[in-house]
Amino acid sequence: MSWYEHLAAKIGLRIAGLILLISAWPEGGLLRKLVMENPTADMNATELLLAALLFLSASGGAALTAMGSRLWEPVKLSARWSGHDRNQRARS
């Protein structure tokens, strides 16, 4: 059994996702405050990094909350995308 199949991992991943989503709220508020202080100025490094952190928190949190441990399940690819089909065509 893989680590992500344990009940504790399933619950922990969902909780981590919720924590990331909750952390996105104050990040967004801080980013809005920084931008609204001087809306006509160009974006600085702090705002850019905060926006990137907000994006990663929201995206990762949504993925972990929605999918949980299923993010680590192996996915079977068709021969078309795995390269096996091209190798067989090249030989013939």
Side-chain angles (χ1 to χ4, degrees), residues 9-67:
K10 290 180 179 183
I11 293 171
L13 288 169
R14 302 265 177 167
I15 290 173
L18 288 173
I19 290 170
L20 284 171
L21 285 174
I22 291 168
S23 75
W25 186 267
E27 293 165 9
L30 180 58
L31 180 61
R32 183 180 188 283
K33 180 182 174 233
L34 290 174
V35 169
M36 295 307 285
E37 284 178 357
N38 194 357
T40 59
D42 288 338
M43 182 172 25
N44 59 30
T46 304
E47 294 169 350
L48 179 64
L49 291 173
L50 188 56
L53 178 65
L54 175 60
F55 174 77
L56 290 174
S57 295
S59 300
L64 285 172
T65 302
M67 298 293 292

Side-chain angles (χ1 to χ4, degrees), residues 58-92:
S59 300
L64 285 172
T65 302
M67 298 293 292
S69 64
R70 289 181 291 165
L71 285 173
W72 281 269
E73 287 181 2
V75 177
K76 184 176 180 181
L77 297 176
S78 69
R80 176 180 180 185
W81 299 109
S82 63
H84 296 294
D85 190 37
R86 276 184 251 138
N87 293 340
Q88 291 175 355
R89 275 192 266 157
R91 291 182 195 152
S92 48

